[in-house]
Amino acid sequence: MTHGMRSDTHTPHFGDGGDWRDTAVRYALLPLRIFLGVTFIYAGLDKLTDSAFMQDAGSGSIGDMMRAVRDSSAIPALVDLSLKNPVAFGYTIAFGELAVGIGTLLGLFARLAALGGALISLSLWLTVSWASDPYYYGNDLAYLMAWIPLVLAGAPLLSMDAALRSRRRQRSGGYR
């Protein structure tokens, strides 16, 4: 008698029921969605409520931070663009993080929200954390990689997108 071998077949994503492995596969991206959603909401609110951050100059300001990373960034022209109006750039990043976080957490336009998160993380990696040595000390690259599964899969469960998809299916009278 062999132990630990399964001879039955199962479909990991479709159908009702299934064993615990099927359930784990269906919900695998949910912890990542919650983490990234909460983190980006927090990051956006943190920037918006930090009066020192939303300044052109001064200790802890977005302007001073961007000037400090300009020469060590992968794309100095991107930093120069942000330095034309650092406060507007700070607000853009903060509101972008809020929109991405809320969309990800609620699963509303989840792929678009994840793409926005990936683009924010990419821009921060190429500017602010590019000079991190070794590269894995900079967290923006890890965030960029974390967004990719959500860009590809969206939010198929426990999301506004899934609810809207189900509602459209019911209206059309079948599975689509």
Side-chain angles (χ1 to χ4, degrees):
M1 177 177 193
T2 60
H3 295 282
M5 299 291 293
R6 288 186 49 145
S7 60
D8 60 333
T9 60
H10 63 285
T11 56
H13 293 290
F14 300 102
D16 298 320
D19 65 5
W20 65 271
R21 285 176 276 203
D22 296 335
T23 302
V25 167
R26 282 193 299 272
Y27 290 90
L29 292 178
L30 191 58
L32 184 60
R33 229 180 84 206
I34 292 168
F35 170 75
L36 289 172
V38 168
T39 300
F40 268 57
I41 289 171
Y42 181 83
L45 290 174
D46 188 44
K47 287 173 181 65
L48 290 172
T49 58
D50 183 356
S51 60
F53 182 78
M54 291 298 179
Q55 300 294 322
D56 184 33
S59 179
S61 70
I62 181 71
D64 280 0
M65 181 181 69
M66 297 311 290
R67 281 186 282 280
V69 300
R70 193 233 177 255
D71 293 332
S72 64
S73 72
I75 307 174
L78 190 58
V79 178
D80 290 339
L81 183 64
S82 73
L83 285 171
K84 289 184 181 200
N85 191 340
V87 175
F89 176 72
Y91 278 110
T92 301
I93 291 294
F95 284 120
E97 287 172 338
L98 270 177
V100 162
I102 291 168
T104 300
L105 203 55
L106 296 177
L108 182 61
F109 303 115
R111 282 190 172 109
L112 182 60
L115 181 61
L119 290 174
I120 289 171
S121 297
L122 176 64
S123 68
L124 292 174
W125 176 55
L126 292 173
T127 55
V128 178
S129 62
W130 181 257
S132 296
D133 187 33
Y135 75 93
Y136 50 83
Y137 279 177
N139 62 358
D140 296 312
L141 179 59
Y143 279 108
L144 172 60
M145 293 300 114
W147 283 112
I148 291 173
L150 296 179
V151 169
L152 296 173
L157 294 170
L158 300 176
S159 68
M160 297 295 292
D161 288 348
L164 293 170
R165 195 169 33 257
S166 175
R167 191 172 181 186
R168 280 192 304 268
R169 219 175 318 165
Q170 287 175 351
R171 284 187 179 164
S172 68
Y175 184 79
R176 201 176 241 194

